[in-house]
Amino acid sequence: MPNPDILIVGGGMITHDQLLPAVYHMQRQGRLGEISVCAQRPRTVHALAASATLAQAFPGQSFRAYPESGDEDAPQPELFREIIGRMKPGGIVVVAVPDQLHADVILTALRLGQHVCAVKPLVLTSADALDIEEEAYRRGLVVGVEYHKRFDDRNLLARRKYRAGQFGEFRLGSAWLLEKSYYRASNFQNWFTTENSDAFTYIGCHYVDLVHFITGLQPAAVSVYGIPDQFPNGKTGYLWTDARVVWSNGACLNVQNGLGFPDSAPGANAQGLTLYCQGARDGALLSHADQQRGLRYSYVEPQDSVSPAYVEPSPDYLQYVDMGGPGLTPVGYGFRSVEYILQCCIQVESEGGNLSARQRLLREFDSAGLMATPANSSHNERVIEAARESILAGGRTVEIPISPELQAATVASVGPRRRGCEGSYNSL
Ligand SMILES: NC(=O)c1ccc[n+]([C@@H]2O[C@H](COP(=O)([O-])OP(=O)(O)OC[C@H]3O[C@@H](n4cnc5c(N)ncnc54)[C@H](O)[C@@H]3O)[C@@H](O)[C@H]2O)c1
């Protein structure tokens, strides 16, 4: 079976920092075919192709860039349809466009016979998630949602120990993720506006997903208070949010998010999770300071225009290391997460035209619960849909109905670990 070709739609920050490095590395390992990137403007893909970081890590590798021609700044928002249409069925489309465009790109890819790896959040409504789930299953195609914190070993450890009963039951907790202020000056200012997204929808979803991933609980109600603030281009976004998520067992999680962590602060961001839990005889505590990974570096001078000379980098998300051989090797859970999803696509594709075998694998991925899929991570869409309603209504509490089937499936899934995707992924 030839290696699948892969197209990344979107050429922004996440493509440069995580997706393209992971894809390049898998191509170098002989696991992927031709790589293409389709953004909205020629200038975006030209800047990506000129990246010094990528050139140093992946010498001799390149991607086909779309748009191929035209005015550098003229948008070509429909081009991705034509480029996906030119792919052989059974390839992989990585979706890395702004949140509100995910549904269109994902459904286009599925209808044209391509597997999908989508950055989080999958989509913004439950109805869109259901359409995607049905379309993918009917065609025997993978849709993996790239919630990379699931592949951080500290979260996999917490999940195993929580599900073994070592923490009792979650009662009260808090989570926070604040990105640096300089994010406001990026392309975010063009789409991260009050009508499209907010800090909770954008990054709070990581920790909501994690609480489900660790505990197996389902969200039952959400309220989000948002503070509108100005981007440099004058547009307005909910750049600070405070959310309360109530869970199916009555537990409560407070989630604070923002694009306002000081640029002069040492970590890449501020982030963490604390869960207070109840056991039969004592309370229990699960606490992760996720921006503190133990590294303290003070360089002779700042490494770029936005960072201080003293930094506390994370070795765990995605870093490049010299493992010998040409270029550099991307390591960390940012790589492992993309690799896992793409490996699942490759595994399903190896079943060829046997639809029932493909569908059996899809159901196994759903029930293993390691890779987020439309079927096993609908809690995210239900929270986001309710959160958008809440924030636009000034923070009103919005109930999230849980069907008896979902409640039963949730209880059933909090059991012994089930089988996940097979392949070269072996660090669990
Ligand atoms: N921690 C995470 O998991 C994480 C981090 C960053 C971003 N993301 C997600 O990734 C997505 C993109 O984020 P980003 O930071 O790269 O944003 P960005 O603004 O830097 O990039 C968005 C890209 O989408 C492209 N685009 C927009 N419309 C398009 C169209 N019609 N056709 C083709 N390309 C189009 C733009 O050209 C741009 O390259 C968002 O959904 C975001 O939530 C996830």
Side-chain angles (χ1 to χ4, degrees), residues 67-273:
E68 283 174 297
S69 58
D71 181 330
E72 280 289 285
D73 289 312
Q76 299 185 40
E78 299 298 316
L79 180 65
F80 74 87
R81 296 181 209 285
E82 188 189 322
I83 306 303
I84 297 174
R86 286 189 213 158
M87 295 173 73
K88 284 195 294 284
I92 303 170
V93 172
V94 180
V95 179
V97 291
D99 300 355
Q100 69 277 14
L101 305 180
H102 290 187
D104 187 11
V105 182
I106 293 169
L107 283 166
T108 302
L110 292 173
R111 287 173 186 145
L112 290 167
Q114 309 299 329
H115 299 278
V116 170
C117 166
V119 293
K120 61 84 220 154
L122 175 66
V123 284
L124 301 177
T125 68
S126 297
D128 280 346
L130 199 59
D131 281 352
I132 289 168
E133 178 187 339
E134 287 171 358
E135 191 70 37
Y137 185 73
R138 199 164 62 77
R139 294 173 181 273
L141 294 167
V142 172
V143 175
V145 196
E146 206 279 306
Y147 277 103
H148 42 248
K149 287 185 181 297
R150 289 178 172 220
F151 289 81
D152 185 343
D153 286 342
R154 57 178 65 182
N155 296 323
L156 287 161
L157 185 63
R159 182 179 199 245
R160 185 165 73 78
K161 292 190 172 289
Y162 187 97
R163 292 180 181 221
Q166 288 173 264
F167 289 104
E169 191 173 357
F170 169 45
R171 287 284 187 250
L172 212 53
S174 57
W176 58 98
L177 205 174
L178 291 96
E179 300 287 8
K180 287 209 159 171
S181 283
Y182 69 75
Y183 270 49
R184 299 176 183 205
S186 75
N187 187 43
F188 273 48
Q189 58 189 321
N190 295 319
W191 63 270
F192 193 98
T193 43
T194 48
E195 69 279 15
N196 290 326
S197 195
D198 55 78
F200 175 75
T201 297
Y202 170 57
I203 35 178
C205 62
H206 269 301
Y207 280 101
V208 171
D209 182 65
L210 265 191
V211 168
H212 167 82
F213 184 66
I214 292 169
T215 66
L217 295 168
Q218 290 288 339
V222 64
S223 64
V224 186
Y225 172 67
I227 304 175
D229 226 335
Q230 216 77 27
F231 281 108
N233 66 358
K235 293 189 179 177
T236 304
Y238 287 116
L239 301 187
W240 310 90
T241 54
D242 184 277
R244 167 191 275 197
V245 182
V246 176
W247 297 81
S248 43
N249 68 342
C252 181
L253 178 78
N254 171 252
V255 190
Q256 294 193 327
N257 300 110
L259 303 188
F261 189 56
D263 291 343
S264 54
N269 49 31
Q271 55 175 336
L273 172 72

Side-chain angles (χ1 to χ4, degrees), residues 351-364:
E351 297 291 347
N354 185 343
L355 182 61
S356 59
R358 295 170 75 110
Q359 290 176 331
R360 196 169 52 248
L361 277 174
L362 297 181
R363 285 294 178 244
E364 284 183 12

Side-chain angles (χ1 to χ4, degrees), residues 293-341:
R293 306 273 173 165
L295 277 62
R296 297 185 298 142
Y297 289 179
S298 198
Y299 300 123
V300 289
E301 57 186 47
Q303 300 296 288
D304 55 54
S305 60
V306 287
S307 308
Y310 175 77
V311 291
E312 294 175 359
S314 165
D316 297 336
Y317 166 54
L318 195 139
Q319 295 287 352
Y320 294 104
V321 295
D322 187 349
M323 304 279 284
L328 301 170
T329 300
V331 293
Y333 63 84
F335 171 73
R336 293 198 300 271
S337 167
V338 176
E339 180 195 36
Y340 190 92
I341 294 171

Side-chain angles (χ1 to χ4, degrees), residues 274-297:
T274 298
L275 302 183
Y276 293 98
C277 308
Q278 183 64 56
R281 281 185 300 279
D282 199 358
L285 166 70
L286 187 165
S287 183
H288 294 178
D290 286 336
Q291 81 279 12
Q292 284 158 359
R293 306 273 173 165
L295 277 62
R296 297 185 298 142
Y297 289 179

Side-chain angles (χ1 to χ4, degrees), residues 343-354:
Q343 191 58 43
C344 287
C345 300
I346 292 167
Q347 189 186 351
V348 167
E349 205 45 44
S350 72
E351 297 291 347
N354 185 343

